[in-house]
């Protein structure tokens, strides 16, 4: 019972805290070209919760966070989005990821306003990271 | 006293186990362990180069390390008494089973004591895990070869 007495207030405070996390849900960093279009594509998908898009030169990194119940089909939805972007921008190098790590790093790039020459290396590193399997 | 009579008597005397309370305790403690695990995996993702796909291994190792320390200090059995399955089903329960066996047989020596008995409790988990993984992989391989599903 003692444990219960410690845990209950903790759980309640945790659930209260999570309510304060409402922030911008759609973020674009880099060149603002066709920002509206990308936003429209992502908003169209009901399973997308938050997104951060990074654009540089001719490529695009799309980091999405999927809503909780849809996370069961994460890889499938990721592939679906990738296909959609590939169709829409056939001459652009688009990389879609639903991984939390990629999303976190993308937000960090936005927050720290990373320079263009470093951006390229960083995104290359992220892409390699996302492909790791074990 | 007849056999049936005795059974009747025994059933009358035995107190009813508080199922609902046990389930609630197991749910809360198991959930707490899993929350800690989630926190550990977030820690590895934010401060190290792990993705959601690769973060599982270090998280499991860390949780087993926690369970090892708790077992060594004799705290895990208290959690186990309180929560039952809530503390046995997560990977920490497996770590506890290995470490407690190692501690128990330490007095019989390192090779025949610890080495021979460390998997006394957890060995069946390892064995059946490996065997069932082998058969599942075999079934999937056959299905892929026929062309029913893809990898």
């Amino acid at each position: 019972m003692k444990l219960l007495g410690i845990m209950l207030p903790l759980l309640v405070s945790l659930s209260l805290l999570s309510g304060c996390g409402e922030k911008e849900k759609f973020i674009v960093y880099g060149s603002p070209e066709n920002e509206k279009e990308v936003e429209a594509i992502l908003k169209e998908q009901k399973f997308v919760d938050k997104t951060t898009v990074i654009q540089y030169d001719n490529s695009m990194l799309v980091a999405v966070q999927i809503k909780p119940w849809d996370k069961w089909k994460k890889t499938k939805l990721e592939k679906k989005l990738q296909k959609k972007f590939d169709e829409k921008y056939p001459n652009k190098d688009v990389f879609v990821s639903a991984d939390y790590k990629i999303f976190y790093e993308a937000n960090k790039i936005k927050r720290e306003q990373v320079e263009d020459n470093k951006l390229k290396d960083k995104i290359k590193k992220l892409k390699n990271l996302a492909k790791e399997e074990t | 006293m007849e056999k049936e009579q005795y059974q009747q008597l025994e059933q009358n005397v035995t107190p009813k186990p508080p199922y609902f309370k046990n389930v609630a305790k197991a749910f809360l403690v198991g959930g707490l362990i899993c929350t800690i695990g989630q926190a550990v995996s977030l820690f590895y993702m934010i401060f190290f180069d792990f993705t959601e796909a690769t973060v599982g291994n270090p998280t499991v190792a860390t949780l087993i390390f926690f369970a090892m320390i708790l077992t060594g200090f004799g705290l895990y059995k208290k959690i186990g008494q309180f929560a039952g399955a809530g503390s046995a089903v997560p990977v920490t329960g497996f770590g506890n089973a290995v470490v407690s066996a190692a501690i128990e047989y330490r007095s019989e020596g390192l090779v025949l004591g610890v080495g021979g008995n460390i998997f006394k409790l957890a060995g069946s988990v390892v064995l059946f895990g490996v065997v069932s993984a082998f058969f599942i992989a075999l079934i999937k391989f056959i299905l892929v070869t026929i062309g029913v599903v893809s990898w």
Side-chain angles (χ1 to χ4, degrees), chain A residues 97-132:
Chain A
S97 176
D99 204 285
Y100 181 77
K101 174 74 180 172
I102 309 296
F103 181 70
Y104 177 82
E105 291 293 332
N107 281 337
K108 208 171 157 191
I109 286 169
K110 163 89 190 347
R111 206 166 51 229
E112 288 170 1
Q113 304 284 318
V114 177
E115 304 281 318
D116 269 5
N117 48 352
K118 277 186 197 166
L119 190 64
K120 213 166 188 173
D121 289 345
K122 219 161 185 169
I123 285 180
K124 206 172 170 192
K125 209 180 135 199
L126 278 186
K127 275 188 188 176
N128 281 334
L129 202 65
K131 276 177 194 139
E132 262 176 43

Side-chain angles (χ1 to χ4, degrees), chain A residues 1 3-4 7 11 14 65 74 98-102 104-105 125 129-130 132-134, chain B residues 21 25 28-29 32 35 42 44-54 57 79 82:
Chain A
M1 269 349 271
L3 251 172
L4 249 177
M7 253 149 41
L11 285 176
L14 271 179
Q65 281 293 282
K74 201 171 85 181
D99 204 285
Y100 181 77
K101 174 74 180 172
I102 309 296
Y104 177 82
E105 291 293 332
K125 209 180 135 199
L129 202 65
E132 262 176 43
E133 278 185 345
T134 44
Chain B
K21 214 172 146 193
K25 280 177 184 172
L28 279 176
V29 174
L32 191 74
T35 313
L42 275 182
Y44 279 121
M45 272 197 274
I46 287 171
F47 294 105
F48 298 96
D49 280 349
F50 288 107
T51 60
E52 264 178 51
T54 56
N57 301 340
I79 301 173
F82 175 78

